[in-house]
Amino acid sequence: MEHTIRLISIFCIVTCLHIQCAGIKDTTIEMPNKPVEIKNPNAVSSAHGRIERVLLALPKYDEDTQHVWDLLADLSRKLPHYTKLELLVYDNEATQKAVENTLKQEVVDYFFYDENIGDKQHLTELRNTKRCCIIKNPNYHNFSIWVQDPFLVVADEEYNSSGLILIEPEEGLKGTDDDEIADHFEKLDIYRAENAPLSFHGGNVLVADDFILVGANHFNSTKKIVAKELKRVEDCKTLDERTRNHFARYLGRDMKIIPVGNTKYHHCKIDGEIQKGRGVVKEPFTHIDMYISPAGRDENGQYQLVIGDPIAMNVDDESAVQSLKGLMEPVIENLTSQGFKIIRNPMPLNNVSGNSYYCYYNNSLIEIDENSKRIWMPTFGHGDWKESLRRYDIQNREIWRDLGFEVIELMDFHPFVRQKAGVRCVTKFMGRFNIYDIHSE
């Protein structure tokens, strides 16, 4: 990371924290010499507001990555006219030619950011008028296509009024240079980037209207970060509360932070002492966006979550599916007890020559505003799987239609889900706006 001053330094310069063991009223962890203050952070929603910009990271072009280029064409064709595309593209001639050919084929106007970097005013004009901005990826960076995970996008001050901040977790992603994406954008003066003393992957965080769902494993990892700064706490329940406030400090001060995972009594070790408590300890999937979709509020104001219901396609997979169902049951019970309305959608387990993978219908792109609701949903009933899986495409489509959504079916997503991912995994919302901001376009 190349920032002179980073939020992570907060944790290195803490000299003293006085935390009482009981009766704590202020659950904010105060740390001196904090270099950056986000006055009123608003994490870009996973579902609410019209989609202003979407980021994709495109790999080096070859025949093994053709499905990524097919997705670029599909999204260019099916996303709304007001949604702009930002493409982080591998910097070689063949890849750039493939990008340009795809965009020309879909009649998408574009420009190269690097070629206009000397004129900031002109760049701003291009970003506001051209539909697609192409940003070259330096050859020495090994970026993956999984652009959802390395950072969270947060608006500072009032929504979109004073720029976006790309919040990076305390620990980067292993095996790739994806944790350098935000820094690369900052070097180019596109977005500001900051490290935060949090643990997360973008796929394990779902931002709704007044709450944020955080996957159990990253909530617990952040809890450890918080615990290091405490001299002593009363019990794990108190530490959970502090961890929720810690997330809210960087993602939305008025947002309710809700950990998602199996819950059971377990032991919590603080200051070398074992303390009994209740906490979140496990998730059915690595990321919650693989099986949970935010679907907005019903006519009574109750928030709806669409949650995948695993289905075995053959007898040999029954045991694996039942095991997953067992992991999901307490998750659903906990969410129901917190007031959510749960709708289940079929999530079949496909098995091809011993390679098993779920059809991640829930890993979709969602847009909810005052006047409309839309979902861009991956499909799987194609080719050899048309007979066995097309009915699940239709069932999922009808579930969302019954919730009042316009359903836009995306391309065949088998090439992506074989790698345990869906369309949300390989895209990133870089901003949303209200319908009233664009009524004149």
Side-chain angles (χ1 to χ4, degrees), residues 74 82 118 126 141 181 195 225 260 280 283 343 352 354 393 397:
D74 204 39
Y82 49 77
L126 288 171
H141 282 318
I181 292 177
N195 278 105
I225 295 172
V260 177
V280 183
E283 292 179 88
I343 298 99
V352 181
D393 292 346
R397 181 188 70 196

Side-chain angles (χ1 to χ4, degrees), residues 331-350:
V331 175
I332 294 169
E333 290 174 2
N334 290 336
L335 291 171
T336 302
S337 70
Q338 295 189 65
F340 291 104
K341 181 178 181 179
I342 306 300
I343 298 99
R344 305 302 301 274
N345 67 294
M347 186 173 65
L349 176 60
N350 203 31

Side-chain angles (χ1 to χ4, degrees), residues 421-441:
V423 63
R424 188 174 186 269
C425 295
V426 297
T427 56
K428 189 77 175 182
F429 298 135
M430 303 302 289
R432 289 182 182 261
F433 45 32
N434 187 286
I435 185 173
Y436 301 112
D437 298 326
I438 58 165
H439 65 87
S440 60
E441 292 188 7

Side-chain angles (χ1 to χ4, degrees), residues 76 87 99-108 110 132 134:
S76 298
L87 308 180
V99 172
E100 291 190 84
N101 287 343
T102 301
L103 295 175
K104 289 176 182 177
Q105 173 186 317
E106 300 302 326
V107 197
V108 174
Y110 62 89
C132 182
I134 302 174

Side-chain angles (χ1 to χ4, degrees), residues 120-138:
K120 190 170 184 179
Q121 183 176 350
H122 185 52
L123 269 175
T124 300
E125 181 182 345
L126 288 171
R127 292 190 77 209
N128 289 335
T129 56
K130 300 287 187 180
R131 187 166 183 220
C132 182
C133 172
I134 302 174
I135 305 158
K136 293 180 181 178
N137 160 12

Side-chain angles (χ1 to χ4, degrees), residues 54-61 64-69 71 75 86 88-90 95 137 141-151 173 175-178 181 363 413 415-417 419-428:
V54 171
L55 172 69
L56 290 87
L58 303 180
K60 184 177 180 180
Y61 179 76
D64 293 333
T65 62
Q66 183 59 50
H67 59 289
V68 180
W69 308 97
L71 177 61
L75 291 177
E86 293 183 332
L88 183 59
V89 177
Y90 193 85
T95 303
N137 160 12
H141 282 318
N142 176 32
F143 296 150
S144 76
I145 64 172
W146 316 122
V147 74
Q148 178 62 229
D149 289 330
F151 54 85
L173 301 174
T176 73
D177 293 326
D178 289 359
I181 292 177
N363 198 268
F413 253 77
F416 291 97
V417 296
Q419 301 175 55
K420 308 296 188 286
V423 63
R424 188 174 186 269
C425 295
V426 297
T427 56
K428 189 77 175 182

Side-chain angles (χ1 to χ4, degrees), residues 189-200:
D189 197 27
I190 304 175
Y191 299 107
R192 186 171 137 213
E194 294 292 346
N195 278 105
L198 299 170
S199 175
F200 63 80

Side-chain angles (χ1 to χ4, degrees), residues 95-268:
T95 303
Q96 292 179 32
K97 184 177 179 181
V99 172
E100 291 190 84
N101 287 343
T102 301
L103 295 175
K104 289 176 182 177
Q105 173 186 317
E106 300 302 326
V107 197
V108 174
D109 54 342
Y110 62 89
F111 71 100
F112 282 91
Y113 188 92
D114 310 65
E115 295 176 1
N116 298 274
I117 203 166
D119 188 339
K120 190 170 184 179
Q121 183 176 350
H122 185 52
L123 269 175
T124 300
E125 181 182 345
L126 288 171
R127 292 190 77 209
N128 289 335
T129 56
K130 300 287 187 180
R131 187 166 183 220
C132 182
C133 172
I134 302 174
I135 305 158
K136 293 180 181 178
N137 160 12
N139 280 314
Y140 54 86
H141 282 318
N142 176 32
F143 296 150
S144 76
I145 64 172
W146 316 122
V147 74
Q148 178 62 229
D149 289 330
F151 54 85
L152 295 173
V153 184
V154 175
D156 192 6
E157 296 283 345
E158 294 184 5
Y159 206 74
N160 280 352
S161 66
S162 55
L164 298 175
I165 304 173
L166 310 185
I167 299 293
E168 301 175 86
E170 184 174 79
E171 294 185 0
L173 301 174
K174 297 179 180 179
T176 73
D177 293 326
D178 289 359
D179 54 344
E180 297 294 331
I181 292 177
D183 300 306
H184 182 57
F185 285 155
E186 185 173 62
K187 284 181 186 177
L188 295 175
D189 197 27
I190 304 175
Y191 299 107
R192 186 171 137 213
E194 294 292 346
N195 278 105
L198 299 170
S199 175
F200 63 80
H201 290 165
N204 218 17
V205 177
L206 290 172
V207 182
D209 52 2
D210 65 0
F211 66 90
I212 300 175
L213 303 180
V214 180
N217 52 352
H218 286 110
F219 185 85
N220 282 336
S221 295
T222 301
K223 191 190 301 184
K224 293 177 182 178
I225 295 172
V226 173
K228 287 179 183 178
E229 300 306 317
L230 303 179
K231 285 187 173 181
R232 184 177 179 82
V233 295
E234 178 73 11
D235 54 29
C236 290
K237 182 178 180 180
T238 304
L239 185 55
D240 283 349
E241 184 180 357
R242 291 186 177 279
T243 304
R244 289 187 179 92
N245 279 273
H246 198 56
F247 269 104
R249 181 178 186 176
Y250 295 98
L251 304 183
R253 296 181 186 276
D254 296 327
M255 300 290 274
K256 182 180 180 181
I257 307 299
I258 303 174
V260 177
N262 288 324
T263 59
K264 65 180 182 181
Y265 285 101
H266 71 292
H267 289 157
C268 180

